[in-house]
Amino acid sequence: MKRWSLIIFTVLLIVNCAPELPPTIGRPRKIVLLTNYQSIIKEQIKSILEQEIYTVQPEPEFLVRYEPLEKFNAFVKFHLIFLVGTISEEPIATLINQKNEQIKNDTFGLFSLSEPWAKNQKVLVFATTKPEFLNQGLKRYAPRIRKTFQDYLLAYMTHITYERGYDKKMTKQLIDKYNYSLKVPYGFKLNTKYEADNFIYLVAHNPDRSIFLYSDPQEISLDPLHLIAYRDSLTKYFYDGDFVYKPFTRAETTLFNGILAIKLIGVWQNEIENIGGPFIAYCFNYNQRFYFIDGSLFNPGKRKLDNLNQLDAILRTFTFTTDL
């Protein structure tokens, strides 16, 4: 205990005495999972953090790298760190020292740290009293674990997308003409060819990305199958025949900037041009209108999930002028 207390104290002292926190390293989607129980928890972790997202080829939502707890010092600068173990193991024992009694009473606990050792860093610590309770506790906290890392990734992608600012002129144009706002990154061009049909879209290249914003003057059902068919009806006309490939597409209920919404994430195809790629969309009713906000990507031969996450960050900047 004394050895680990000294090590962690030294790490914190170096960080706190520095003029500013050091930058994080590694890929933002990579989670370094420090544990001595990889074989026990691997399947549970896979179901929580490594769900496959089809971007034509499947990609795990997060990339999990397992390391033993004793290697803690080697990974203190990574973006995402997840420590999993018992309250008697170091460095967990030292990190949650004041929470030991709480965990003994509750059997397990989950604790979050923001930027403890590096900039833009998120650390989760899951601890239990005995190894046999690990999977039970991870299952209990699964939604919170996944959302914590998802929220981090969204914030990180938003930060790097708008680090140089955004196109204020185009954003103001959306506000003035359509009564909603979207922070348009530099490089996107606005096409208003179909604005009479309440459909506008933005495009950018390298890689090819497209965002469309559509509204209907009446509310519609948020049934996922209906929404997929609705998207097909829009893209058949406005996107020259694109359609959703249902086996690789899923839907989930979520909050989109405080509004109850259905999130669609999956794959689009176009048989005429023999192309396809991933898309992400949010569908919701607001003030007696229906809104469909969608981002799609075409980047053949390349991994696509990071670009899709960046599109998600852009979509999430959507807001109504009444909320500005």
Side-chain angles (χ1 to χ4, degrees):
M1 171 71 98
K2 289 182 179 179
R3 173 179 170 270
W4 276 104
S5 297
L6 181 60
I7 289 172
I8 294 174
F9 174 77
T10 302
V11 170
L12 291 172
L13 185 64
I14 291 171
V15 168
N16 290 333
C17 289
E20 60 180 19
L21 289 171
T24 46
I25 60 176
R27 294 181 64 179
R29 276 174 50 227
K30 176 170 280 187
I31 298 171
V32 177
L33 201 160
L34 296 157
T35 185
N36 296 329
Y37 305 99
Q38 178 178 346
S39 61
I40 295 174
I41 67 172
K42 192 169 184 177
E43 287 305 310
Q44 188 70 255
I45 292 297
K46 185 175 181 179
S47 70
I48 300 170
L49 297 173
E50 298 177 284
Q51 295 182 30
E52 289 187 335
I53 295 174
Y54 284 90
T55 61
V56 178
Q57 72 270 42
E59 296 184 53
E61 185 172 18
F62 291 96
L63 305 165
V64 179
R65 173 178 177 174
Y66 288 89
E67 295 290 346
L69 284 168
E70 65 183 25
K71 291 192 175 180
F72 163 79
N73 266 6
F75 298 98
V76 293
K77 291 183 181 179
F78 275 70
H79 288 273
L80 299 172
I81 302 173
F82 192 13
L83 294 95
V84 177
T86 66
I87 58 175
S88 61
E89 294 175 293
E90 293 295 353
I92 292 174
T94 299
L95 287 171
I96 62 166
N97 182 45
Q98 296 180 349
K99 305 290 185 179
N100 276 358
E101 289 304 314
Q102 176 185 331
I103 296 172
K104 287 177 182 177
N105 291 332
D106 297 339
T107 307
F108 28 67
L110 181 70
F111 308 97
S112 174
L113 304 171
S114 295
E115 298 189 326
W117 307 299
K119 283 183 181 178
N120 300 315
Q121 181 185 59
K122 175 59 70 174
V123 177
L124 282 184
V125 182
F126 171 80
T128 185
T129 52
K130 296 179 181 179
E132 52 261 41
F133 298 134
L134 284 168
N135 281 319
Q136 180 185 349
L138 288 170
K139 185 176 181 180
R140 172 179 168 180
Y141 288 115
R144 184 173 153 196
I145 292 168
R146 185 166 178 248
K147 188 175 187 305
T148 297
F149 287 130
Q150 284 178 327
D151 287 349
Y152 168 87
L153 188 60
L154 176 65
Y156 180 85
M157 286 299 182
T158 302
H159 170 72
I160 64 171
T161 300
Y162 296 105
E163 195 169 16
R164 296 188 301 111
Y166 61 96
D167 192 326
K168 292 182 174 61
K169 182 179 179 181
M170 194 178 298
T171 298
K172 186 176 186 303
Q173 183 179 348
L174 295 179
I175 294 171
D176 292 343
K177 292 188 71 174
Y178 309 110
N179 295 319
Y180 53 68
S181 173
L182 185 81
K183 286 186 178 180
V184 182
Y186 293 116
F188 277 84
K189 303 299 181 184
L190 176 63
N191 191 312
T192 60
K193 179 180 178 180
Y194 302 112
E195 67 177 354
D197 297 306
N198 300 317
F199 184 101
I200 63 170
Y201 63 98
L202 304 109
V203 294
H205 303 291
N206 300 317
D208 290 341
R209 290 150 290 160
S210 179
I211 294 171
F212 76 69
L213 303 106
Y214 172 80
S215 67
D216 191 301
Q218 60 185 359
E219 295 186 354
I220 73 162
S221 167
L222 296 184
D223 172 73
L225 289 178
H226 177 67
L227 294 172
I228 288 172
Y230 202 102
R231 186 185 193 277
D232 284 348
S233 71
L234 293 174
T235 55
K236 180 180 180 180
Y237 181 72
F238 298 117
Y239 276 6
D240 300 322
D242 289 3
F243 65 93
V244 173
Y245 184 63
K246 296 183 185 68
F248 288 176
T249 300
R250 70 171 191 247
E252 58 186 63
T253 302
T254 187
L255 285 178
F256 180 74
N257 298 334
I259 303 168
L260 184 67
I262 296 295
K263 176 182 177 181
L264 299 176
I265 183 166
V267 170
W268 62 272
Q269 291 186 315
N270 188 302
E271 291 181 339
I272 299 171
E273 299 185 31
N274 196 28
I275 58 175
F279 78 93
I280 185 167
Y282 294 93
C283 314
F284 55 90
N285 294 306
Y286 181 81
N287 278 356
Q288 300 180 324
R289 292 184 72 95
F290 168 71
Y291 291 85
F292 205 122
I293 301 170
D294 184 288
S296 59
L297 173 70
F298 178 63
N299 196 19
K302 303 288 180 63
R303 292 288 180 178
K304 302 172 182 64
L305 191 50
D306 289 340
N307 290 125
L308 190 66
N309 285 331
Q310 194 166 34
L311 278 172
D312 189 18
I314 297 169
L315 297 183
R316 293 293 192 103
T317 67
F318 178 94
T319 190
F320 293 99
T321 54
T322 54
D323 299 325
L324 292 175

